Amino acid sequence: MSRYALLLAPSANRVYADQASRLALAEVAAFGKVLSSDISDIGVATLGGVEYLTFTGALSERDISYLSNLSSAYALFEQVDELLRPIMMTPLATYDSDLITIPKYAGKTNEQFTKLVLNLTLLASASAGRMLDGHLTVLDPLCGRGTTLNQALMYGYDGVGVEIDGKDVEAYKLFLQTWLKRKRLKHTAELVPVRRQGKRAARRLEVTMAASKEDHKAGAVQKVTVLQADTTQLEGLIRAGVADVLVADLPYGVAHGSYDDEGGISRRPLDLLERAVPQWLPLLRPGGALGLSWNTKVARRELAEDILLAHNLELVDQLPLDHRVDQGIERDVLVARKTN
């Protein structure tokens, strides 16, 4: 058995203030499900005046590949007596990191937190053992301008999104097309109308792309589909069983909102969740998992849990992930699994 020390990315501490280590500890514990041997004694230690996340285990090469994808990982070391021996990390990185870091806009969810929620959801799903192997599909039914979809692309996965705001869909199309052209990557991108019962019901952005000319020639392409539609009215617009995992950042009740039954704006995330879950669940494959983040200042955790339990979802145990974002937002994460 060896003792390991994980150095967290400096940006993680800026994002989460003094909570980064606690969130990373919860994430490392979740990765334990897919590692070849148990890890233990997970904690925080100060070495040479620098804070590290430490743990004990016997990591295989594949285990290191898994842990390389920790959302706040910066460098991994094996502790040898009083020295630190660097370990080569091999994160999933199908594209350059600026696919994630370039977009800046009001209301954007931090990309490290997005990666954290996606990781926890993947690890709770029946697809956890295939996390490193690609060919998965991530659904974000509240996708905004595509932070979660871009993280799915970085992992080599396909992405499906739903967004009610047409300007956000158009902005995502413009960003992705511009980025792909600048990187000189083969791609197609179309925004087309969608009809239901003979009437125009939505618009759909369809993007195909490949990480290299060789991949494109071999047919190894990735697909992103974004539907401009109301996430509570998806029947007939997206085929059932399309996704392995679903990740959503619910309206925080501060700036974001959703349309209610009368067509007005509601900023209550639980209202949206209650109406949307029956639409979302058929889109998940058996064994799929659902990961949600939201503002606990406007929605108590136990009420969110009650909604998921009412739809026969199995709540997944995890270490505490609640944390302060700013004066008006205390954020938490809830993960549940589809059992049939």
Side-chain angles (χ1 to χ4, degrees):
M1 301 288 281
S2 298
R3 187 71 175 163
Y4 298 93
L6 180 74
L7 180 63
L8 302 184
S11 57
N13 289 296
R14 290 200 302 272
V15 172
Y16 301 123
D18 59 348
Q19 303 169 100
S21 298
R22 179 172 61 84
L23 297 177
L25 190 149
E27 191 177 4
V28 168
F31 268 96
K33 173 182 177 180
V34 293
L35 303 183
S36 60
S37 62
D38 292 338
I39 55 176
S40 59
D41 299 326
I42 306 172
V44 177
T46 300
L47 305 173
V50 178
E51 189 175 79
Y52 292 80
L53 189 71
T54 57
F55 57 92
T56 298
L59 299 182
S60 67
E61 186 174 329
R62 188 171 176 86
D63 294 339
I64 293 169
S65 294
Y66 271 114
L67 293 176
S68 297
N69 294 294
L70 282 159
S71 61
S72 56
Y74 189 62
L76 180 64
F77 302 89
E78 181 182 5
Q79 290 185 256
V80 182
D81 297 325
E82 296 182 357
L83 303 177
L84 296 178
R85 182 176 68 85
I87 294 177
M88 177 67 71
M89 301 180 76
T90 54
L92 294 169
T94 304
Y95 301 96
D96 294 339
S97 62
D98 57 359
L99 173 62
I100 299 289
T101 58
I102 283 179
K104 306 290 182 185
Y105 51 89
K108 179 188 176 184
T109 304
N110 170 264
E111 53 265 20
Q112 283 186 338
F113 179 72
T114 297
K115 187 175 181 180
L116 169 71
V117 180
L118 177 56
N119 283 346
L120 294 173
T121 310
L122 281 167
L123 293 166
S125 75
S127 303
R130 298 190 290 128
M131 180 180 177
L132 301 178
D133 306 320
H135 310 298
L136 300 177
T137 299
V138 176
L139 168 65
D140 182 351
L142 300 166
C143 70
R145 297 191 186 185
T147 304
T148 299
L149 301 180
N150 288 345
Q151 182 58 59
L153 290 173
M154 285 292 291
Y155 274 0
Y157 305 160
D158 291 343
V160 178
V162 180
E163 174 52 49
I164 198 169
D165 190 331
K167 291 182 179 179
D168 280 349
V169 176
E170 291 165 3
Y172 182 55
K173 176 180 183 291
L174 177 61
F175 163 73
L176 202 52
Q177 272 190 298
T178 302
W179 187 87
L180 289 165
K181 287 178 182 177
R182 186 166 58 83
K183 297 293 181 177
R184 299 184 179 180
L185 296 175
K186 291 278 189 177
H187 67 279
T188 63
E190 287 186 296
L191 189 57
V192 298
V194 177
R195 295 188 174 274
R196 181 169 53 186
Q197 298 176 345
K199 298 180 180 180
R200 176 171 168 167
R203 290 192 300 171
R204 183 172 62 238
L205 171 63
E206 298 177 338
V207 181
T208 62
M209 53 196 287
S212 66
K213 291 180 180 178
E214 292 74 22
D215 284 348
H216 187 270
K217 188 175 181 179
V221 298
Q222 292 171 257
K223 296 181 180 180
V224 180
T225 302
V226 179
L227 195 69
Q228 182 197 331
D230 187 335
T231 196
T232 67
Q233 300 177 29
L234 297 178
E235 188 174 351
L237 296 177
I238 304 178
R239 64 179 175 84
V242 70
D244 298 285
V245 295
L246 181 155
V247 175
D249 201 20
L250 299 177
Y252 285 2
V254 178
H256 299 96
S258 60
Y259 289 109
D260 58 25
D261 291 331
E262 285 73 42
I265 292 290
S266 168
R267 302 199 187 280
R268 293 173 293 188
L270 296 185
D271 290 352
L272 171 64
L273 187 63
E274 197 158 19
R275 295 164 56 219
V277 168
Q279 298 287 312
W280 296 348
L281 290 186
L283 308 180
L284 273 177
R285 294 170 185 150
L290 175 151
L292 304 175
S293 58
W294 79 102
N295 182 11
T296 59
K297 281 185 175 288
V298 297
R300 299 204 316 269
R301 181 184 182 92
E302 56 267 28
L303 296 180
E305 290 178 342
D306 287 346
I307 293 172
L308 300 186
L309 289 170
H311 291 88
N312 300 315
L313 287 161
E314 176 190 356
L315 301 181
V316 176
D317 291 334
Q318 60 197 23
L319 295 177
L321 288 157
D322 56 301
H323 60 282
R324 183 179 185 274
V325 177
D326 58 32
Q327 187 174 359
I329 300 174
E330 295 278 349
R331 192 163 51 189
D332 203 354
V333 179
L334 180 59
V335 179
R337 185 164 39 235
K338 186 176 180 180
T339 57
N340 54 35

